[in-house]
Amino acid sequence: MASVNGNGTSDAIKKDVEYMPIEDVERLERYRPGGYHPITIGELLHGRYRIVHKLGFGAYSTIWMARDQKSEKYVAIKITIADSDLANSQERNVLHRLGNAELKAKSHPASAIIPSILDDFTISGPNGVHQCLVTPVGMMSLAEAKDASSSRLFRLPVARAFSAQLVMAVAYLHSQGVVHADLHPGNILILLPKSMDSLSPEQFYEKHGRPHHEPIICLGQQSLPDGVPAHAVVPIWLGKASEDVSLSEAQIVVTDFGESFTPATTARYHSHTPDMLVPPETYFEPKKSLSFPADIWTLACTLWELIGQRPLFEGFNASADWVIKEHVDTLGTLPLPWWQKWESRSKWFNEDGTRHGATSSRSWEQRFNQSVQEPRQEFNMQPMGDAERTAFLTMLRDMLAFVPEKRPAAGLIMEYEWMQQWALPELNRMKQNMS
């Protein structure tokens, strides 16, 4: 399962306790009052969940794989830092809201793409009281699958099935009044195949290996403080390279609702998506609250990345001006009021929107060929045919309208030719392969 994202640091981290660094595990300094809960492999939580392995961690939680003794299935348990009222509470509230909505809309085809809260309980420990959310297990995120690959490409049928599910999920969220607000490949998980549930923990270890423990050593003193585990557990890797994901394995869930909000009751003026996915209205209409169209922009960027090798807009530690430059290079000149407001436009562009000097822009067509067609041919993978390419780019151009109100609603995206002729039929084939 993908690690929960979070770059925040706790103000309460104790500065006078230091530990021998251990790679690929959570910040050990966060095992303190108000911080992480110490967990040991084999421990039984809530009288039914036997801890089998670690799945990941973030600034506000650790995530564990457990065997549900009651259902005899594997589950993920997200254990928050003590008394947390931060992003995890927002996520819990949103998922409960969607869970209740799901009872009213069981027939909605996208309800399965939103993670179900299978159970919700608290545990008390040496560091405080911790909220625990039980959900299905994710095998890996789409970003992790690409990172594990030399080609960084999904096979086209798999990418289409992913895309269909993602559009359906956003349409469902929006129909329930919720903006996800942090859509990107790192927050989309491929579910663990149901066949895994037939494995006992011992059989699971035989297939995937036993947990790797590293002793925790406290520098400058002999004994560990209370509330610190004796060993750190390195998270398991259950995934595979993107090109090895089969159509029958292409079932996803959208995760990480810590940034989600309801525009009807909450004003949101800042986007916390990765820099290159921030919608342009954030820069040019800072006093106007974001709403559903912001998700449509990031959805389009994410669909591009599922089909292609590289992101649509690119930059390292990019400034806001660089992001806007990428938008103009790719999509053309900004609306006139925005264009006139953008003071840095003269760094790259003439007043008519053309590049000045010897520099040239990478056009929409160039980016598609460089990210989709050429890499697919290089790795002997199926490129898009002309008809599909036209339909796909037509849909994305509409979704990437600069003016938010001109972007199609998520429900309308379902009706686009590419969805109807390529993405949804592939999703149906995926479901047939799974049955």
Side-chain angles (χ1 to χ4, degrees):
M1 187 177 192
S3 300
V4 174
N5 291 322
N7 298 318
T9 57
S10 171
D11 292 334
I13 290 177
K14 213 169 182 178
K15 302 295 185 183
D16 57 344
V17 180
E18 294 185 8
Y19 299 90
M20 186 78 73
I22 303 174
E23 289 187 8
D24 303 323
V25 302
E26 62 273 23
R27 291 261 319 264
L28 300 175
E29 292 83 0
R30 289 198 169 101
Y31 283 102
R32 54 160 311 285
Y36 293 137
H37 178 68
I39 286 286
T40 56
I41 301 298
E43 184 175 349
L44 187 69
L45 298 184
H46 203 49
R48 62 183 283 188
Y49 302 109
R50 184 75 65 185
I51 299 296
V52 175
H53 217 303
K54 181 192 278 182
L55 293 169
F57 57 88
Y60 303 117
S61 63
T62 55
I63 309 162
W64 301 83
M65 184 175 179
R67 181 76 169 179
D68 183 352
Q69 311 287 71
K70 187 174 180 181
S71 68
E72 295 189 338
K73 294 180 179 181
Y74 290 104
V75 296
I77 304 182
K78 182 177 188 176
I79 305 175
T80 69
I81 59 174
D83 309 315
S84 173
D85 59 356
L86 298 165
N88 296 297
S89 293
Q90 173 66 5
E91 179 172 43
R92 175 175 172 267
N93 293 340
V94 169
L95 290 179
H96 271 302
R97 172 190 174 121
L98 294 170
N100 291 334
E102 190 177 321
L103 295 175
K104 303 171 187 174
K106 275 289 185 184
S107 60
H108 197 290
S111 58
I113 311 170
I114 307 302
S116 302
I117 295 182
L118 305 175
D119 201 355
D120 179 357
F121 59 94
T122 59
I123 53 176
S124 296
N127 294 327
V129 178
H130 308 259
Q131 186 73 42
C132 302
L133 294 182
V134 182
T135 62
V137 181
M139 183 164 63
M140 59 186 162
S141 73
L142 302 189
E144 288 173 323
K146 296 188 76 166
D147 287 344
S149 164
S150 57
S151 71
R152 297 187 62 82
L153 287 165
F154 294 104
R155 298 192 180 278
L156 199 49
V158 172
R160 292 182 190 128
F162 286 154
S163 300
Q165 292 172 84
L166 186 56
V167 172
M168 289 167 61
V170 174
Y172 179 61
L173 288 175
H174 290 190
S175 75
Q176 302 304 322
V178 175
V179 174
H180 185 277
D182 198 15
L183 288 170
H184 59 80
N187 283 341
I188 304 163
L189 301 185
I190 303 174
L191 283 176
L192 196 70
K194 286 184 170 51
S195 59
M196 282 286 195
D197 289 330
S198 64
L199 300 178
S200 69
E202 196 58 39
Q203 291 169 325
F204 177 85
Y205 290 147
E206 288 175 9
K207 183 172 182 177
H208 294 283
R210 294 184 178 276
H212 176 65
H213 293 81
E214 288 278 355
I216 295 178
I217 300 172
C218 187
L219 300 175
Q221 61 187 79
Q222 293 294 321
S223 59
L224 294 173
D226 291 341
V228 180
H231 294 84
V233 181
V234 178
I236 191 172
W237 167 248
L238 294 171
K240 55 179 64 177
S242 54
E243 67 270 18
D244 294 331
V245 178
S246 68
L247 186 61
S248 63
E249 296 173 320
Q251 186 176 9
I252 62 170
V253 291
V254 177
T255 66
D256 204 338
F257 289 81
E259 297 294 339
S260 300
F261 68 101
T262 53
T265 59
T266 305
R268 176 71 62 82
Y269 301 98
H270 303 286
S271 173
H272 293 282
T273 61
D275 291 342
M276 301 310 299
L277 303 184
V278 173
E281 59 267 32
T282 304
Y283 305 118
F284 295 107
E285 298 178 348
K287 295 182 179 180
K288 186 175 179 180
S289 179
L290 296 175
S291 191
F292 303 106
D295 265 359
I296 302 302
W297 181 276
T298 53
L299 173 60
C301 296
T302 302
L303 294 179
W304 177 286
E305 202 163 344
L306 299 189
I307 296 294
Q309 183 186 64
R310 296 159 57 180
L312 175 57
F313 308 120
E314 298 184 271
F316 182 71
N317 284 337
S319 66
D321 285 327
W322 179 271
V323 175
I324 298 164
K325 186 275 296 181
E326 281 285 286
H327 293 171
V328 175
D329 264 350
T330 308
L331 303 169
T333 309
L334 298 165
L336 187 57
W338 290 6
W339 183 251
Q340 292 174 338
K341 189 185 294 185
W342 185 30
E343 295 178 355
S344 297
R345 63 187 183 276
S346 59
K347 284 185 182 179
W348 299 282
F349 300 101
N350 301 311
E351 280 304 306
D352 63 357
T354 58
R355 280 288 202 125
H356 56 59
T359 59
S360 61
S361 62
R362 281 202 308 129
S363 69
W364 177 256
E365 296 289 341
Q366 284 176 311
R367 289 170 193 249
F368 184 80
N369 288 331
Q370 292 170 357
S371 180
V372 180
Q373 303 295 66
E374 292 169 8
R376 288 188 172 279
Q377 291 165 346
E378 178 186 349
F379 288 96
N380 296 315
M381 297 172 76
Q382 178 186 2
M384 272 194 179
D386 290 342
E388 180 180 5
R389 171 185 162 281
T390 299
F392 180 70
L393 293 182
T394 297
M395 181 180 78
L396 257 63
R397 281 302 300 237
D398 286 357
M399 295 170 69
L400 292 166
F402 281 127
V403 178
E405 292 77 16
K406 292 186 177 180
R407 296 171 205 155
L412 291 178
I413 296 169
M414 297 286 296
E415 304 302 320
Y416 272 75
E417 182 185 5
W418 186 74
M419 287 291 294
Q420 292 293 322
Q421 298 297 321
W422 284 276
L424 290 169
E426 210 71 77
L427 177 59
N428 290 332
R429 279 188 280 273
M430 180 201 86
K431 292 177 179 178
Q432 291 167 5
N433 289 342
M434 290 172 61
S435 59

